[in-house]
Amino acid sequence: MTTPPTAESDLGWALGAVMRSYLRAAHDAVGAVPGGPRGYQVLSMAFRGEQRSQLALAQHLGVDRTVMTYLLDDLESAGLVERRPDPADRRARRIVLTDAGTEKLCDLERRLRAAEDELLDPLDPAEQEVLRGLLDRVATRTATATDNPCAVAQEMQDELAAPAVTPRRRR
Amino acid sequence: MTTPPTAESDLGWALGAVMRSYLRAAHDAVGAVPGGPRGYQVLSMAFRGEQRSQLALAQHLGVDRTVMTYLLDDLESAGLVERRPDPADRRARRIVLTDAGTEKLCDLERRLRAAEDELLDPLDPAEQEVLRGLLDRVATRTATATDNPCAVAQEMQDELAAPAVTPRRRR
DNA sequence: TATTGTTATACTCTATAACTATA
DNA sequence: TATAGTTATAGAGTATAACAATA
């Protein structure tokens, strides 16, 4: 016999509601970018240089690698990213931003930050930072369980010596 | 020209990662309940007595009303809820828990609480409460924009005078 | 005329399976 | 043998549209 739930203290509902609001706002903010908010996240990760292989990107975002293939097809044909062969493992591709992709990322950063600020508007600035921090800690802890156990050190964009290559496109 | 993002401070990613972890844990926790975690939420809302019509339930959960029809079909044929005609508006149905539904809800409460505790394990108890509170505030603020503007006063389960009815079932 | 709920249908998203190429 | 990526296909989830009953 458990007592009835404390009204309105449903973590699942709150999480879902915030997630829906975020996705709606983020979708509007990023506009026509291939893949929407997820496309932005790929650009962001590619820029930061961690998780450069398609598989790593897919796992970090919690989707199947086949989804990443389609998403990168769209980002690539939009001229935002390039697939380069990984010199260390010729099975893998390294995802690199083009100049247009870097520019687009900067634009999206701004728009998304504004959308986030509006989403978190009910909280004062200090509370917003607390929420971001707590979410990050929960996300990082739970993500590292399925992700790569040790985060790869930050590398800069241009450290990539590998030349661009355009493997047989299709679709 | 915006400066590069502060590494790992991506609200969207953190939200998505936490959401995925929650859904995986919640799905495992609720087991074979129709609709999974969402089915639980319907039971919970029906018990608390707010948002009793199918449309209100659907909007509170952020899904189309047709989705709610299918979900309630499953919950009803599992014997967990009943559809009763709303005496005040004969177009609408009031969703009421059966005895089995109430029992199931108590069981699910326990399981989900355990799953939530594990999800929030990286935080100490005080921080967990802070996170729940902040999420609730953001969720409530953003949800009320699309939901019913004024929450209906809490009513108890047995205040329902309307007799059970089983409209033409199908499917 | 507008709204609640139902039903059938279509669409979107995602994963599964099979394949190529590398390791 | 196992892994990264691709491709075609199938499945789950969701929404759209048309309808009946009621307001």
Side-chain angles (χ1 to χ4, degrees), chain A residues 54-55 66 69 83 91 93 170:
Chain A
Q54 299 188 191
L55 186 60
T66 60
T69 295
R83 285 166 159 116
R91 293 172 303 182
R93 310 277 178 205
R170 37 35 272 194

Side-chain angles (χ1 to χ4, degrees), chain B residues 54 66 68-74 76-77 83 93 166-171:
Chain B
Q54 298 187 194
T66 60
M68 190 53 59
T69 295
Y70 301 138
L71 176 50
L72 289 171
D73 285 349
D74 296 342
E76 193 175 40
S77 60
R83 284 166 160 116
R93 309 279 178 204
T166 307
R168 51 226 160 357
R169 283 299 91 213
R170 67 294 25 141
R171 184 168 147 103

Side-chain angles (χ1 to χ4, degrees), chain B residues 111-149:
Chain B
R111 296 171 182 276
L112 274 174
R113 187 69 195 197
E116 290 180 13
D117 285 347
E118 197 179 323
L119 176 75
L120 300 184
D121 181 60
L123 310 181
D124 66 48
E127 290 172 324
Q128 295 186 12
E129 282 315 302
V130 171
L131 177 57
R132 286 175 185 273
L134 293 176
L135 279 175
D136 257 5
R137 280 172 56 199
V138 176
T140 304
R141 173 71 79 88
T142 60
T144 40
T146 41
D147 260 26
N148 194 345

Side-chain angles (χ1 to χ4, degrees), chain A:
Chain A
M1 287 306 143
T2 314
T3 42
T6 352
E8 212 54 80
S9 160
D10 187 331
L11 179 65
W13 177 80
L15 220 37
V18 173
M19 190 67 185
R20 284 193 298 277
S21 295
Y22 172 81
L23 283 179
R24 197 182 329 115
H27 188 271
D28 292 349
V30 302
V33 173
R38 180 177 291 161
Y40 155 76
Q41 290 188 327
V42 168
L43 295 183
S44 175
M45 289 161 61
F47 178 85
R48 302 211 309 264
E50 317 155 3
Q51 264 97 22
R52 195 123 41 189
S53 80
Q54 299 188 191
L55 186 60
L57 290 168
Q59 287 173 339
H60 193 73
L61 259 51
V63 296
D64 194 84
R65 58 187 181 172
T66 60
V67 173
M68 190 52 60
T69 295
Y70 301 137
L71 176 50
L72 289 172
D73 285 348
D74 296 341
L75 288 171
E76 193 175 40
S77 60
L80 300 177
V81 303
E82 278 177 11
R83 285 166 159 116
R84 299 189 189 177
D86 185 334
D89 182 348
R90 281 165 46 210
R91 293 172 303 182
R93 310 277 178 205
R94 288 193 166 196
I95 305 306
V96 184
L97 292 191
T98 62
D99 288 346
T102 307
E103 217 173 295
K104 192 67 175 175
L105 176 60
C106 287
D107 179 45
L108 295 179
E109 289 287 344
R110 245 182 287 117
R111 297 171 181 274
L112 274 174
R113 187 68 194 198
E116 290 180 13
D117 285 347
E118 197 180 321
L119 176 74
L120 300 184
D121 181 61
L123 310 181
D124 66 48
E127 290 172 323
Q128 294 187 12
E129 282 315 301
V130 171
L131 177 57
R132 286 175 184 273
L134 293 176
L135 279 176
D136 256 5
R137 279 172 56 200
V138 175
T140 305
R141 172 72 78 90
T142 60
T144 41
T146 41
D147 260 27
N148 195 345
C150 58
V152 176
Q154 172 120 5
E155 297 176 65
M156 220 46 232
Q157 204 55 17
D158 352 50
E159 285 182 7
L160 283 177
V165 76
T166 307
R168 52 232 162 348
R169 285 297 91 213
R170 37 35 272 194
R171 183 171 146 104

Side-chain angles (χ1 to χ4, degrees), chain B residues 58-123:
Chain B
Q59 286 173 340
H60 193 72
L61 260 51
V63 296
D64 193 84
R65 58 188 181 172
T66 60
V67 173
M68 190 53 59
T69 295
Y70 301 138
L71 176 50
L72 289 171
D73 285 349
D74 296 342
L75 289 170
E76 193 175 40
S77 60
L80 300 177
V81 303
E82 278 177 12
R83 284 166 160 116
R84 299 188 188 177
D86 185 335
D89 183 347
R90 281 164 48 207
R91 293 172 303 183
R93 309 279 178 204
R94 287 192 167 195
I95 304 307
V96 183
L97 291 191
T98 62
D99 288 347
T102 307
E103 216 172 295
K104 192 66 176 175
L105 176 60
C106 286
D107 179 44
L108 294 180
E109 288 289 344
R110 244 182 288 116
R111 296 171 182 276
L112 274 174
R113 187 69 195 197
E116 290 180 13
D117 285 347
E118 197 179 323
L119 176 75
L120 300 184
D121 181 60
L123 310 181

